[in-house]
Structures are given as C-alpha cells and as structure tokens.
Amino acid sequence: MSSDVYRYHFGDQIPAVEVETTLILSIFGTEALHGEAQTRLDAGHAFDAKKRTVVIDAGTPVGRDLNRLFIGFMTREFGSGSFRVARVERPSEPKQPQPETVTA
C-alpha cells in the first residue's frame, strides 16, 4: 500500500547543513503560501542529519506544497542524481471491530 509520505536520502557529497537549510527555505516558502499556523499544523516533516534523511508527509495540500518546493530546490541546487526519494510504505491499518448484528 502506498502513501503520501516521502523519504529523501542524501549522499555524503551534500553537506547535511545544506540539506537542512534547503528544508527550512522550503518551509518558509510553504508558510508564504499557506500561512505559518497552517504550515505548522499540516506540513509534517523530519530531518535526521546522522541518517542523512528528510521525511515529508505530503498527505495534505500544505504538505504537498512543502514536498514540491523541497524537491524543486534540491534538484536545482544539487542536481537530480544527488539524492534518492521514495514513498514510505505504511503498515496496513488494523481492522476495526465490526458491530455484530443478531437476528432472532
């Protein structure tokens, strides 16, 4: 099952501080489009310098815009071959118990 969460992985040739700076720039751009409060609420993201990853939840219009800005800035600055991006597979949702109907 696919989702709207994307994980970016960066090679050693890109300084982690540059990735973080580009993410922050992307967040500022998203805030310009949607406002600071809406961006904080709807643009889930994480940066891990040690693992050299960025994860963006693009499950909302705000998150999709953050994702578009980030990939656009990263591609423009470092080139499309400088990082990998993949959709994150979410574990399947546990089934909710269904109410039983008893007929007499």
Side-chain angles (χ1 to χ4, degrees), residues 25-101:
L25 178 63
S26 302
I27 293 168
F28 288 163
T30 306
E31 288 176 354
L33 293 171
H34 297 281
E36 182 181 353
Q38 201 63 52
T39 299
R40 288 183 67 160
L41 292 170
D42 288 346
H45 61 279
F47 169 68
D48 188 324
K50 290 184 181 182
K51 290 183 180 178
R52 305 189 60 74
T53 60
V54 169
V55 176
I56 297 176
D57 183 350
T60 65
V62 180
R64 281 190 292 280
D65 285 343
L66 173 60
N67 196 50
R68 288 177 184 136
L69 287 168
F70 183 71
I71 197 168
F73 290 152
M74 288 302 298
T75 301
R76 182 85 105 162
E77 187 171 356
F78 300 107
S80 59
S82 63
F83 59 92
R84 295 186 321 265
V85 60
R87 283 186 182 213
V88 175
E89 295 294 321
R90 292 185 184 174
S92 52
E93 298 288 323
K95 291 187 177 182
Q96 298 295 326
Q98 299 296 319
E100 292 185 29
T101 358

Side-chain angles (χ1 to χ4, degrees), residues 14-31:
I14 301 176
V17 69
E18 294 293 329
V19 174
E20 184 177 29
T21 300
T22 302
L23 178 60
I24 292 167
L25 178 63
S26 302
I27 293 168
F28 288 163
T30 306
E31 288 176 354

